Amino acid sequence: MYLENVVQDARDPHTVGHFWAAALGARVLTDEPDAVEARLELGPAGYLDLCFPRVAEPSGSPARLHLDLLGGDRRQEITDRLLGLGARHVDIGQGEVPWTVLADPAGEPFCVMETREAYRDTGPIAALPLDSAAPERDAAFWSALTGWVPTTGTPGIVSLRHPSGVGPLLELCPEPAAKQGKNRLHLDVRAERSDGDPVPTVRALGARLLEDPALPWTVWADPSGNEFCVLDAS
């Protein structure tokens, strides 16, 4: 299995999907009234698709997954460009920090990060920080699920990365509070034909099956309760 999608529930998929495609230089694959999908090419790491399905009302629960964008020496320039595309400054209680906190047109917070050695060769998305009740445990789970491997990242955060050393980090961050309600953003992994039936494998890794609809995916929760989907082999 491999990590394929970052999914953000959206009232207006067109507006938020095209914002992120422009922000990241991603190629729009699907542009329909109820869904927008854009592909970010990552070289040896393959690709990451950004998916924006329409929902009537996105969850109001505190965010547990967000995007950290590569900024570095160009942080102000990149911030200005994102503001021009429709982002806005937000205060989420971050205080004095060396990065910039913005919100996309749907109000979803994200960060433009300062220079960090760990962000070398990430591409425009530096990291995918995910709240975790037990970062070491959850890093082992996500590594077994996706094939991503431990990497040196920010002190106090357990980080994984594609084995090519290219593309964003998946950061398992100590959660500030226990999970409340559905996450607005989640990850999707894609099963490969060689995996066979992924359900027993994913369950054995410590995930909990939430939903097994008559659709080409199953809905799960990781050991900290964060939703993710396993997509059928293409």
Side-chain angles (χ1 to χ4, degrees), residues 133-158:
E136 293 282 357
R137 176 201 64 192
D138 289 353
F141 168 82
W142 282 100
S143 180
L145 186 70
T146 65
W148 286 26
V149 298
T151 189
T152 301
T154 303
I157 294 174
V158 184

Side-chain angles (χ1 to χ4, degrees), residues 169-227:
L169 281 66
L170 177 60
E171 297 181 335
L172 286 307
C173 306
E175 62 184 16
K179 188 175 186 297
Q180 306 169 37
K182 184 180 184 293
N183 293 350
R184 293 186 297 278
L185 273 73
H186 71 265
L187 303 175
D188 288 348
V189 297
R190 172 77 67 180
E192 300 187 87
R193 295 192 185 280
S194 58
D195 294 325
D197 180 2
V199 170
T201 300
V202 178
R203 182 178 281 120
L205 292 175
R208 178 167 51 92
L209 185 62
L210 299 179
E211 188 177 355
D212 188 8
L215 294 169
W217 61 79
T218 49
V219 183
W220 298 81
D222 76 2
S224 287
N226 298 301
E227 297 90 356

